[in-house]
Structures are given as C-alpha cells and as structure tokens.
Amino acid sequence: MKLNDAASARYDLASLGEVMLRLDPGDGRVATTRSFQVWEGGGEYNVARGLRRCFGLRTLIVTALVDNPVGRLVEDLMLQGGVDLSWLRWVADDGVGRRARNGLNFTERGFGLRGAVGCSDRGHTAVSQLKAGDVDWERLFAGGVRWFHTGGIFAALSETTPQVAREAMEAARRHGVVVSYDLNYRASLWKGIGGPEKARAVNRELVSLVDVLFGNEEDFTVALGFQVEGVDEHHSALPAESFQKMIGSVRAEFPSLQVVATTLRVARTATRNDRTCQSLTVFGRSASSLSSVRHPPMRRSLPWKRFAQVAFRSSRSR
Amino acid sequence: MKLNDAASARYDLASLGEVMLRLDPGDGRVATTRSFQVWEGGGEYNVARGLRRCFGLRTLIVTALVDNPVGRLVEDLMLQGGVDLSWLRWVADDGVGRRARNGLNFTERGFGLRGAVGCSDRGHTAVSQLKAGDVDWERLFAGGVRWFHTGGIFAALSETTPQVAREAMEAARRHGVVVSYDLNYRASLWKGIGGPEKARAVNRELVSLVDVLFGNEEDFTVALGFQVEGVDEHHSALPAESFQKMIGSVRAEFPSLQVVATTLRVARTATRNDRTCQSLTVFGRSASSLSSVRHPPMRRSLPWKRFAQVAFRSSRSR
Amino acid sequence: MKLNDAASARYDLASLGEVMLRLDPGDGRVATTRSFQVWEGGGEYNVARGLRRCFGLRTLIVTALVDNPVGRLVEDLMLQGGVDLSWLRWVADDGVGRRARNGLNFTERGFGLRGAVGCSDRGHTAVSQLKAGDVDWERLFAGGVRWFHTGGIFAALSETTPQVAREAMEAARRHGVVVSYDLNYRASLWKGIGGPEKARAVNRELVSLVDVLFGNEEDFTVALGFQVEGVDEHHSALPAESFQKMIGSVRAEFPSLQVVATTLRVARTATRNDRTCQSLTVFGRSASSLSSVRHPPMRRSLPWKRFAQVAFRSSRSR
Amino acid sequence: MKLNDAASARYDLASLGEVMLRLDPGDGRVATTRSFQVWEGGGEYNVARGLRRCFGLRTLIVTALVDNPVGRLVEDLMLQGGVDLSWLRWVADDGVGRRARNGLNFTERGFGLRGAVGCSDRGHTAVSQLKAGDVDWERLFAGGVRWFHTGGIFAALSETTPQVAREAMEAARRHGVVVSYDLNYRASLWKGIGGPEKARAVNRELVSLVDVLFGNEEDFTVALGFQVEGVDEHHSALPAESFQKMIGSVRAEFPSLQVVATTLRVARTATRNDRTCQSLTVFGRSASSLSSVRHPPMRRSLPWKRFAQVAFRSSRSR
Amino acid sequence: MKLNDAASARYDLASLGEVMLRLDPGDGRVATTRSFQVWEGGGEYNVARGLRRCFGLRTLIVTALVDNPVGRLVEDLMLQGGVDLSWLRWVADDGVGRRARNGLNFTERGFGLRGAVGCSDRGHTAVSQLKAGDVDWERLFAGGVRWFHTGGIFAALSETTPQVAREAMEAARRHGVVVSYDLNYRASLWKGIGGPEKARAVNRELVSLVDVLFGNEEDFTVALGFQVEGVDEHHSALPAESFQKMIGSVRAEFPSLQVVATTLRVARTATRNDRTCQSLTVFGRSASSLSSVRHPPMRRSLPWKRFAQVAFRSSRSR
Amino acid sequence: MKLNDAASARYDLASLGEVMLRLDPGDGRVATTRSFQVWEGGGEYNVARGLRRCFGLRTLIVTALVDNPVGRLVEDLMLQGGVDLSWLRWVADDGVGRRARNGLNFTERGFGLRGAVGCSDRGHTAVSQLKAGDVDWERLFAGGVRWFHTGGIFAALSETTPQVAREAMEAARRHGVVVSYDLNYRASLWKGIGGPEKARAVNRELVSLVDVLFGNEEDFTVALGFQVEGVDEHHSALPAESFQKMIGSVRAEFPSLQVVATTLRVARTATRNDRTCQSLTVFGRSASSLSSVRHPPMRRSLPWKRFAQVAFRSSRSR
C-alpha cells in the first residue's frame, strides 16, 4: 500500500463525519446530575484528532455545523484538538433548531454492575443534511492529501450522506489517496431509515471503493452480511479460524481491499472479558494475518495506532 | 374574579407548556466553556414552579418529554421544583432524536457591554407534537383546579399546540377555572410557521377565552395587533396614557378579559433603563388601573407575585 | 402475605424515620476538605426513596425537620427524591439549635487500606423529639396505604420514638397494612440511652407487631438477643445451618412474622469478603428459605429490590 | 495604655471564643444548593486570625472542640489561619452529638433585593460547656501575653461561659495584660437563656473588667442598657453628638475603660447605607474622639486594623 | 497605509512575543487559593489571538516553549485560540528548569478596595533566550504575511530579544509587511537589565523601523523619552493638547511612523476613572487625529479593534 | 539510639529541604487541563508534615521562599500542614523571577497503561541558593531539637546546598541530635551539576555524618556507589541476601550509621509488583535486620511510620 508523498501533501489525512458536543456528567449520572463537562467527539473525527494529537500528523475534518453558540463551542473544542477546520461547513441558524441543529451526545460512565448509559440527540443535524455536490472534493484532494477516512456512522445519518461518502471516495481514488472505512454499525441510527437491510446495501456499495476496512464481528455479520461459523447469538465464543475464513470471503468479494483490521475479544469471565485480553489482527494481501498483537484493550484506537506507526512512518521515510 | 374553593380543589394552578433543560456556562460563555450547570425552565412552567416554591401553592404542569436520560433529568429537576408531574406525558425514545426530542436552552449571562447570548435547541420536541385529544382535560379539571395558565410560547411551538391550548381553555371554563395567558411573543419561534401574522391570528383566537392576560408593549402590538399612539419603533418612550388607551381597546375587543397585567419600563439611559424603574400596572374591570407599583425590576415574575398575594389569598380566606 | 389493593390506595409505602443532611467530601477527607457535596439520607427514608425512584412506587415519609434553611435544604433534596412530603412535620426554629436541630451526617469514602470514616451529628433533632400522639396515624392509613416501614435507627433516636413506632404499627395493622422493620443496630445511638439491653427490650416489643423483619447477624444477636451456634465474636464464619436454625427460633417467638430477610456474607479474604459474594436469604412461612440468590453485594438494598419485584408486583396484578 | 513588652511575651494576643465550621453555598442558596465550601469563623476568633494573617502578630485561641472529623476539620482550617492552637481543648466524641457537638454556621450571600440568610447550628457545643476552672489562666498569662480579647457572643453561649470570661479577665489584669471586649449582641443566642435583661446583667459585670470596649449603637443600648437621645427604633438617624454623650456615660460608669471604639453608619438610601460611608470613632481618655476616619465600610474589622497599627506597633518600638 | 494583498497572503498577521501560562484563582486570591484555572496570554500574542477569534483573521505566533507538559499545555491553549503554531520553536527540556523554562503568570482579580495582585514567574524562559539568527524570517515573510507585530515586553525579556525584533522588522519591511510595535513598558522587566535608560535606547532603535506605534502616556515618556507638558508624576491630569503636541514630536523624530495610536484616560473620581470614559485617538499622517472615539474602556484591545475594522477590511476590499 | 529528652526539647524534628507548590490536574492531564488543584510538597518536608499531622510530633522546616504571592501560597499550605515555620527564610522578590523563584511541581496521575507524567520547574529557586552561613544552626539546635533530617534532593539543588547540609549535620551532632538522610536519587537534578559521579561524592561525604540512612536499591548503587550482586540493570530481581550483604558493606564503610532502612519490592507481574507486596527492612547495629514487615506498599512513608512508632515513643516514655 503506497501513500502519496508526505512532503508534497498538505494533509496526512482527511476525515468525513459528524462531530457532536459530548455532555459528560463526570462521576454522576445524566438523569440526576446538575452539571456536565463538555468534549467534542464523533467516530470518524476521533481518528483525525487522535492522529493529530498523539502522532503529530496533519489532519483535516470535513463536516458541517449550525452557526450558533453550540456550533461555535464545537469549533472551539476542535481547535483545541488541532484538526484543520478549513473544510468545516457553517449552516445558518434559524434560532430554534427546527431546520438544522448540532448533534449532542449525553454519555455517562458505568459503575460496577451498572452499565454505561447514553443518550444521542442527533436528529436533524446540519451534517446529516449534507448531500452530493456540497463539497468540492476535487479541490480538496488536489491540495494534497494522503489518506481519506469515513465510516458507517456517517453513512447512517440520512438518505443523502452515503452519496456524499461515495463521491468523496471516488475523488480520493482518482488522486491516489488511500481510502479507509470503519463499519461501526449502530442499530439505532439505521432503525429509522431502513434497518440492517439498508445498512448492508449502503455498506456493500461503499466498501467496494475501500482500501482499508475496519470492523468487529458484529460489523462484518450484521452490517455487511457475512457469516462466521460457530458463533452463537451472544458472541460468547469467537473461533479465530472461523473469523479468518470469513475475512477471506470478505477479501474475495471486495478485491479493492488491501487491509482488513479487526479486534477479537476473548471473553473470559463476565466482568473481565474486555479488560484483560484483546488482540488486533490485521489481514493483509497475503491472506494470512499481518500481525496479531496481544494487548490490553484500547478498543477502536488500536488499529489506528498500528497504522500510524506503520503506514505513515514507512511512507514518510521514503 | 372568583376562584374555585381551595379546600375542595386538588391543585391551585395547572400550567400547560414546554419544559426545557437549560444549560448555563456560569461566568463563562457558551462558545468557549468546558462545563455547564443545568436547570429546568420554560415560560409557562416557571409560573407553576414559582407559585409552588415561593408561595407554597399546589401546582401542576401539563407537558411532554421523551423518555430518555435527558428527559429523566428534566423530570429530576422538576421534582426538585415541587410541581406535580402526574400529567407529564412520556413519549418513547427512538435512540437518535429524529422523531422526538427534549428541548434544550443554552443561555449565558451578559457582562458589561456584552449582551447575554443564548441558543435555543427546541425543534422537533415531544411537547411540540402534542395535539388536540392527547390530554383528557375533562378528567384533569374535574379533579379540582382553581386556575389554568398557558401562553404564547406554547402556542408557537407548532401547528398543533394552539389547538391543545384551545381545548384546555374551553374545558377550564366549563369547570369555572380561571384562565390566564401570557402573550410572550418570540419572533424566532413564529418565523418558521407563519410569522407575526400567524402569531396574531393564533393569539386573537385564544385570548377570546381568557380571563387574565399578561403582556408587554411588544406583545400587545406585534403579537396581538393593537396600536399604541406615540410609540416609535425603538420603544424608546412609552406614554402611559396611550398605553392605557390601548388596554381599553383590548378589553373592548375581548370582553371575557377581567384583568390585563403589564409591566411598563421607563428607559432612562442606555444601560440603566431596566435596572432601576419598572412599574406593574394591572387593569381591572373598572377601566382604570387596579394598582401601579414602582418596583425594582423582576420582569415577568412581578405580576405573578401580585396575583399570588391577592387572588389566591383572598379566595382562600373565603 | 396480602397487600391492600393498589388501585384504591394512595400510597404503596409509608416510612417513618429520620432524614439527615449528608455532607460528603468527595475524593477528599472530612478532616481536611474545603468543600462538601450534599445529599439526604436515612435508613428508613432510603427505602421510600429507592422504591420511588428505582421502581416507581408511590411512597411517603413521616418525619420532622426544623424550619430553617438547613431543613429546607433537606426538603429540597427529598423533593428531588420524589417521596411525598405531605406528612413532614415542620418544627419552629429557635435560631441557634439549642431546642431542636436537623440531623447531619458527615461521611467520607475509604481508600485502599484506609477505612471510611464518618461523623454523625444528630443529637437533639426535631425527629428525635417526636412522641406518641404527634402523628394522626388513623387519618394517614385511612387515606390508603399498602405497606408501613420503620426500623431500629428510628427506635434508637430517643426515649419517645419507640412509642411513636408502636402506635404507628398498631394503626397500620388495624388497616390491613403490611408492617416491616429493619433492626439496623447502631451501638453509638443506643449507648447513651440504655445500651444493648435497652435495644433488645425495645426491639422485642416492636417486632411482635411486625410482618416482615430485616436484619443481619449482628442485628439478630446483639439487638434482638438470639444466638447463632458456632459464631465467634469476629463473625468470621457464619454457618448457614446455624443461621437458619436461629431464624426458626425467631419465628417461633414472634408468630406475627411472615417473612424474615437477611444477607449472609461469606468472608473470603480480608479485603474481598464483602465485595464478591453475598447471598440474600428470605425465610417465609414454610420454614425453609424462600429464595437464596448469589449476588454481588448491594447491602441493605438487596432485600428491598426483591420485595419490590415480588410483593408489589404480584399484588398489583391481582 | 501600656502593653507588656513584645520581646519577652510569647503571644501578642489571646482570644477566647467559639470557632464554628462555616458552610457557604457560594453563589447559591443554603436551601437549594448541592455543595458547600467550608471556612472557620467566630466573632472572637476572627480577631486572632486577622491579626495573625494580615498583621503578622502572634495570636492564640482558647476554645474547645469535640474530637471527631468535624472538629479536626475546624483544626485544619485554624492551622491554615496560623493561630496558635496549644490551648485548644479537645472533648471526647460520643459518636452521635447528643452530649457535645461542634458549632456549625450555614451562611449565604444576599443578592440584589434579597437579604443574606443564615442558619446557626450551635446548640450543645463543646465550647458552650466550658466552665470556670477548666482553663489554667494563670499558666497561660504567665507564659507571656500582651492582650486578651473576648466578647458578648462567647458570653451568650451558656450559663457557664460568662464565668469563664470573668476568670480569664481577672487573671489577665493580674498579669498586666490589656483586656478587650466586643459587645456583639445577638438576640437569638440570649433568647433561650434570659433575653436582653440577662445580656445586660452579664455584659455589665464583664465590662467592669475591661480596658478596651467595642460596640455599635445596638450593643450600647440593648446589650448594655444605655440610651442615645434622638434615636428611633429603626436606628435611621444617629446623631453623633448624642452618641458621644452616651459614650461619656459609659466611661463614667465603667472607669476601667481606657478606649471605646465604635463604627457609626450613616444611612443614605435603602441599599447604599452601609456600602458608602462609615466612620470609625475611637473615644480615648481625653473625652473627645481619638480619631474619626471616613472609610468605606469594613464592619468590625476596622477598629482592629487601627489598633494593630497603633497599639501594637507603638508598643513594639519601645 | 497599504497592506499586502489578502488573497495571495497566507497570514494576515504574524506576532512575535512570549506566551505564558496564566494561573487564575478565580474569585479567590493567589496566596490562599487551593485551585487555579489556566489560560494562556502574553502582550504580543493577545493581538494575534484576538484578531483570530474576534475578527476571523489568519494569524501566526512566533515564540518558543520548552517541550515539557507545561509547554504542551500552553500549546493546547493556543490551539484553542486558533493562532497558527507552525513557527513555534520547541526547546529541549532538562527535566528541572535550570536551563530553560516556560513563563508563568499568577494573577488575581482585585475586589473593592483591594487591588489586583499578580506574580510573574518568567525568568530564564525559552523565549527570552531567542537570539538573532534563530528564526528564518525571510522564509516566513516570503510565505505571504500582511502585518508584523511585536512590542516592548518581548524586547525587555533579555539582552538578545531586541536583536530578534530588529531582524524581524527589517525582513518585514523588505517584504512590504506593515510593522507595528506596542511600547508596553514594564518596569519590573527592565529593572534587572538596565532600567529605563536601557528601555529607551532599545525602544528608540526599534521604533525607527515601525509603521504603527501603540502606547499610553507612560510609554511615550518613560519608555521612549518624550515629554508631555503639564503632566505631574501621578498622571492625574492629561491635557489633550499637550499630548497631541508630544505625538507631533514623536512623528517628527521617527519619520517611518504612519500611525500613532493611544488611549487617553480622563480620571474622574478615584474609583471610576478607568471604568467610564476612555478615548482612542489615532494620529495619522495629516498631523491631526484620525479618529477619536469615546468608549467604555477596553484597554489595549481598543486600538486593535479599530484597526481590524479599518485596515484589514479596506485592504481586503481592494 | 538515644534521643534528646522530649520534655526539654521544643521540636521533635527539624527538616531541611525545598518545599514546592505542587500543581495537580486531578483526573485530567497536565498538557490538556484547564484547572489545577494545589498542594505543597518536597521530599524532606513531607517527613516533617507527616510526623506532625499523622503522629502529632512537633516538627520544623528549614527552607527558603521568595516573598511573592506564590511563596505566600506555599506558606499558607504549610501552615495548614502544621509544621513550624519560624525558620522559614523569606527572600526578596525581583518581580520577574530572574534572580530567585519558588519551586513548582506539575504532577499528574497515571491511568491504566499510561504512566504518571510530571514536570519539575525548580531551577533558580530561593532554597537552591542557600549557602553555608545562611542559617544559624547553633541557635536552632540549642533551642531543643531531637532529630534532624535532610536528604539527597536538597543536596542536589545546587553547588552550595551540600555545604548547608554538612554544617547542619555537624551542628546537630554537637547537640546530640540524631541525624537522618534519605538518599532519594534523582538523575534529572544531578544531570546539570556533575551527574552520578558528583552525586556519589556529595552523598558519601554527607553519609559519614549520619545516624539513620534511608534508601532503595538504586540509591545505594547509583547514588552511593555500592554493588548488589545478582542485580541486572532492570532491577527485575532483588535477592534479599545480596542486599543484606551490601548493607553490611555500607555499615562497614560508614561507622556512624546506626540504622539503615530500606524497602524491598518483589516484582511479581508487570502490573502488580508494587501494589501487593513490599517489605520494610531495617538493619540495626546487630548486623541482622531489626524488623521486616510485609506490608501493602506505602513507599517512602513506611520507614518513617515505623520510626515514629519506635524511636519517638520509646524515647518519650523514658
């Protein structure tokens, strides 16, 4: 996998996705708190922010916000995140939030037996109203970009966002930009716009334009329509061989794929499964796993850490 | 004006309106803060809460919330406010906020030259989707209520809320419940659903069912369509006689009105106008002002304070 | 065990006990903090609050507070808790706290080796001065109540509170209201008013009027005077058979008892005993345990959770 | 007025009084807050703390606390205040607060029209149970002290505290220590132990042993029994000549007095009276005022500031 | 005054100066607080930040920081400020702060009579060790810059910083970049490196290369060596004519100056002088004042606001 | 080991060392926080504070601070700590921090995989400029002191501080004061003033005057120049016998040593080594270990706890 030259590129990565204001009650609970801390976040954006602040890469976010104090707060948080905002699209405010809003995400931490409970308030957002033609992808990629990233959350925002993702990917490929996609299936988002069937249709169309694909077991099965033999409905056991076989099918069906990255969790006991053992498996061209690293869990950030270390550095040293 | 007997009534007042989560950055600004304190609030609800916590009256709110952690937080805040929630309508959550949301209100304080800046995020709320027939007003008023209140903010939430207000008022009148209405004109709310013309049409229809009407100069002119002679567009001067004359016209046109309450502000200098002198004028049946009290400004709470003192107490002593 | 009909009852449960202001230094320690968060709490009250907020039952607290800002703060916290306050008795303030006070409870969390340290400041409280005849129990239970709860903390507040508990229980029984009592022995409270002997005398008198009794090993032995064979002074081992035998004696001596609920902790290692294994055992009519559930520990809340699920639901469905 | 030599004295001032934990809801109100900041405070103690931290004098507090986490928190705050705690008396804790407690003071700030509201919770405190003979005053003063201070709050704590003040004053006089007393009348404290009559009797007995007396108009009239001609019950006007005449009577009746210090407030308007103009008047031996300084108000701290500047410095330079 | 074309320039303004971590005890005082909020700040940097966040201009800071967590915190704050950091110079950390440090500024607010007290901890900072040749000014200005700003604080940091300012100004002039300089005299900074004499020598050398000069009365007199007739040492009166005359002398002596901007404060009363009346006077080429605006005081930000409005906008519209 | 008589001594312990302001971002990180809590701390000072607040001993700190608000904040924190400040040396402020500063220590907590990261900003501090002759040790020890403590951090502050430590130790020995020294090697401090070689030279000179020596494995090897057989560079295994043998060599070379105290950690697994098992070993005169206590780890505080219990109590009871 070859990246565009670092010296002549202005950005290492451009990401396309929603950025929400995250409201966090700290040690308390959303339903009884009297204060919230705020952060910004979003599946696709987090990749751009992490690569910028942890690895020093030059990253860019393509998104949209309503131009009101909440939108400006999200901008203020993104500025702190160091992600370039030149391609942030500001949408006029109607003063009430009927026509377009900014996405909000109320999240709390679990404690002991109690699971983490959240509350997404992201209907009618400016970014969900993005449609094909709104972004001048040619100009963006012509400015010099090495990697383009988007994912299944952005594609689930509305009927129009998959088309935006498609035109971005096609433009990226024309400019030799590596394209990655994180399946990141969220049932609640798809529920109102067609459910799992629609998710599969959208994802399959987009994955055909992808170089690097991220996903966990649920992503590959529910959101992309593959089967893993020997997996029951609770995902309590995940035989590595079956999984590797499934990945083989994925690569056979989508020949553009150069890398498939996933994290396999081995459940040990009820409370310790995802705290003690997780391995990243990256399946490259050679049909066998590129690398498999036992690691304390860092969820979705792990594949990106490896990629930042491998893909960007090696291509820079050229 | 005679109120239903206190002893046989279960509630002193029932109010109909939206209750929003208010997010307050304290000494900071919405656009640059890293934390918010939260409160609950809403024009019509504040009347019920104030009468409960400041004057010990038994009050009730008729409203709707989506049943998610944000809605439960608003409930938690209303419980603290002491307002009865038996008639709170819970609407199912879709997990995303596309179909129905809870209203949010980001507000900050001004400082020196800088005005207070807010940001209403109240589109697509559960309460704005209330429609005629959703609330069993007969049962509510049959349970014993002395006063019913709603206002121009609730009426501006959607196409359907004025009809809810109308059926509530009609039911109230059938049970001898005093009906009050606060015009409370908000241009931003009306903008998307018909503008000032629509506001005037809706308000005029509802005011014909009202006993006690609240409003300031803008409310009577823009939102109800009356004229005050000698007032320029900046409302810089407000001749009391012209205002009293206008009130006379209001009462002539709406014979059900028993009391019209307003606050007249006399602008002195640019920065001190509403901090030093404000008078409450209550126009009763006798065509002259019932009482006119010079008072440091307490904005919309002032008329209610007077009413709590006069109306409820006198009727209780009977 | 049959509960009064839910439809015709106004309250599912009425609880009698002290409600204190709890001052909590967060991650810090009481003795060196510079700020406290506040909560309300009390052994008997917590049952009413938990049933209201976790299970949606309609609950009531019978208690007393001094009418000063601290008392009003406790009221504000109880309002948030959703427990009905119609039977809260307000006592006049003397401005100094000599005659009657509100109870305070300074508590901190332990950390590692360091145990949790608290500081109860509950002498001379308004509720401890409640005496027989102060509460019109006939009127309360006539209004429709299904369950009455009090406990050994309330009974230890003063010389007069056991008499209040007794008259409440007698009235409850007259109205077919189920009576429960949590022994909840606190040596510090009894120390100044007669010690364990007095505790046993008071508890034995009250338990004779009880349907459902809660207690742990110390409660049954020290506070009620029974013996568990094979238990040393450190309660390091607690043979289940001996315990069950003791429960048999309890039920033989107090024939009104329909259910005895307890939590048996099995100490494993010094630091993990009460964090990993605790079982709830409910002894019903048939002399054998009704149910025994292995469960991560939730201390005193566990029996109530089971009861809310079983007792209230089953009786509701009738 | 001559002070003991600074070089041979260990302490510049010893103060006798209660030290309470002050709980402060910040910008909020006691009755609705969810958190408190804490400070330590007390009329007589504040003098010792201020002289230590603002003027660098070596000061000592004689007081008593219950040895529990709240008492240790007050100690922690006093350590920060720099006042010597060698003569702090620790009283055993009974675990409940029936026998002896630590004093608490909940105070909030007023805002605009709203006055400051507080709530004293200081009944049954350890310090109020101090009695004659508890403190070895001979040893304390023999160790070298230049000034002894106490006041009318300490004297109002109980039946026994005036006797403690008396024996302290007598011992101080034997060692040539200047004795000061701040009348500081608090109606709520005296109410339960004899009212204004008792206050006057106690104060008159103690003032006969005093060198320097502090008080405002209410102190001299209600708490000491003098009359100021031409003062109505609202203290709306305070003619300086009448006041000076009254001071003359005070000095005639109490010949030990060398200095009488007071602050006269001139009420201008309802809200600005005590914010814009206050003068300190110190009446010395020569029957005329020593100094009269117009000053923005600093309430009771003003006389002490002047004394620290004048009395201690001049005596030090000797 | 003509600015380089906006379209072909990458930055509207580049500023050279120190950026410190500002530690702010909020409502408390530095000497007794237990927590600090943090901000970033610095005389020259604030211009770049304000133009970026208030007026949307593209600004750049040239400065240096030690690469340790404190330096990274200042970076994080500057990212939030939106100022471009491409020319931020990172200096290696020695782990102790002997060789190079980051500047800190502890500041508190005054209250009533009490003045604001601060504490600068900026010795041995990385930026104070900048020397001629460290920055490639040719490359910077060749990239497209319209305005260069620095000032008398940067010039006072060390013996070497004036030389850095000089080479920057010379390079700017070669590229047609407007050069501005804020005299901003700070006695404490100059004290250790030559005092007012040295300040005057350094400032006079640099002002000869300046187009736009900012200063107040103290700056022009103490830090640049001019006289204003009729001004006493307390600056209590500031005759406008004398000031204008002095400005005339400044412009005569420094012919490169195109604009001199100052704020004249008229002292009214002790406490209100700088809160109610301040005027900005900008002296342009024509020897008379370009504009004089009565304005509530905004201290040093006022001239910049006017410039952003006038200079940048007019040149953009060309 | 015999201590001076407690009754005739004014202080139980005098400690010599730097006291820094510790800035703590709580749950956040230094590089991204917006607020810090502050504490005071320093290796040698912590001993004095702990003995005062945990064990009630009378302790004293000899140190120096710049007299500015930051220095006064450190004083305020030390007052709260209860350590006597009579021998705190105040150094004049130059307003900028070029000549002398107060030490700062930014520290954060690690989390999971992430290690704790700190940032020492302690160059050019007032205390590092202490030199022989600055402190009147004769007068200090003549006032009655039982124990003198200092350590390898103080000795590493500058070229002059070892001489201060030496003259203090010599004076202490003349007055029969026990002398203790904590090697506490910090590579970063020594790096700029001679590295490990210099550390060894300084430490060896000082240890020859010491009665009680504290150190861990790195201290004895790197900072004092001894060898422990069988220890690799990662200190992964620490054979107790080799360690004891090394201690024997230490005592042979430094005959003044009466006690050598150390904590041996046994690494079990990567993450649990220092959380589950640590033993304190105190080697006394008899060449074998005085006591060896298995203990959850309390790092450097453990030896002191044992000493407070043993040394001070036994000597007091005499």
Side-chain angles (χ1 to χ4, degrees), chain E residues 12 29 69 137-138 144 147 156 169 181 194 197 228 254 291 301:
Chain E
D12 291 307
R29 309 200 62 183
W137 297 104
E138 276 304 315
W147 191 294
M169 287 171 169
Y181 188 80
E197 295 74 24
V228 183
F254 298 103
S291 64
S301 66

Side-chain angles (χ1 to χ4, degrees), chain C residues 89-286:
Chain C
R89 190 183 171 85
W90 288 105
V91 172
D93 184 27
D94 71 352
V96 182
R98 281 195 195 110
R99 222 164 44 212
R101 306 176 48 246
N102 295 304
L104 306 173
N105 195 16
F106 295 82
T107 57
E108 70 187 38
R109 304 172 203 158
F111 185 79
L113 288 178
R114 193 179 76 208
V117 179
C119 175
S120 236
D121 182 13
R122 67 199 302 184
H124 313 278
T125 57
V127 73
S128 74
Q129 301 180 38
L130 272 186
K131 58 184 191 305
D134 280 350
V135 181
D136 184 350
W137 296 105
E138 277 304 314
R139 186 164 69 85
L140 192 162
F141 290 118
V145 176
R146 304 176 76 208
W147 190 293
F148 172 76
H149 178 69
T150 190
I153 293 181
F154 177 73
L157 292 182
S158 71
E159 302 280 349
T160 59
T161 52
Q163 300 156 26
V164 179
R166 166 172 269 277
E167 67 173 4
M169 288 171 167
E170 288 169 345
R173 298 185 81 82
R174 281 194 297 275
H175 288 83
V177 176
V178 170
V179 174
S180 64
Y181 188 80
D182 188 339
L183 289 164
N184 224 338
Y185 179 68
R186 301 287 170 93
S188 59
L189 279 170
W190 288 103
K191 194 169 53 173
I193 56 170
E197 295 73 24
K198 177 74 175 179
R200 281 192 286 273
V202 165
N203 282 328
R204 295 184 86 92
E205 184 190 334
L206 294 176
V207 169
S208 67
L209 298 163
V210 166
D211 298 292
V212 179
L213 181 66
F214 295 84
N216 61 17
E217 57 274 34
E218 188 189 21
D219 292 334
F220 285 108
T221 54
V222 181
L224 206 58
F226 287 85
Q227 303 292 332
V228 183
E229 291 172 20
V231 177
D232 61 18
E233 59 179 319
H234 301 300
H235 302 267
S236 55
L238 233 162
E241 305 78 32
S242 306
F243 205 86
Q244 188 160 344
K245 206 166 139 193
M246 179 272 285
I247 296 292
S249 311
V250 172
R251 290 172 52 247
E253 188 163 336
F254 297 104
S256 73
L257 288 178
Q258 300 188 57
V259 175
V260 177
T262 190
T263 52
L264 298 180
R265 279 175 294 178
V266 180
R268 286 195 176 161
T269 71
T271 58
R272 305 190 58 175
N273 73 323
D274 58 0
R275 303 212 52 164
T276 47
C277 178
Q278 193 177 55
S279 70
L280 165 68
T281 308
V282 179
F283 299 89
R285 277 291 73 181
S286 63

Side-chain angles (χ1 to χ4, degrees), chain E residues 222-284:
Chain E
V222 182
L224 206 58
F226 287 85
Q227 304 293 331
V228 183
E229 290 170 22
V231 177
D232 60 18
E233 58 179 319
H234 302 300
H235 301 266
S236 55
L238 232 162
E241 305 78 34
S242 306
F243 205 86
Q244 188 160 344
K245 205 166 140 193
M246 179 272 285
I247 297 292
S249 311
V250 173
R251 291 171 52 245
E253 188 162 337
F254 298 103
S256 74
L257 288 178
Q258 299 189 56
V259 174
V260 177
T262 190
T263 53
L264 298 181
R265 278 175 294 179
V266 179
R268 285 198 179 159
T269 72
T271 58
R272 305 190 60 173
N273 73 323
D274 59 358
R275 303 211 56 161
T276 46
C277 179
Q278 193 178 55
S279 70
L280 165 67
T281 308
V282 178
F283 298 89

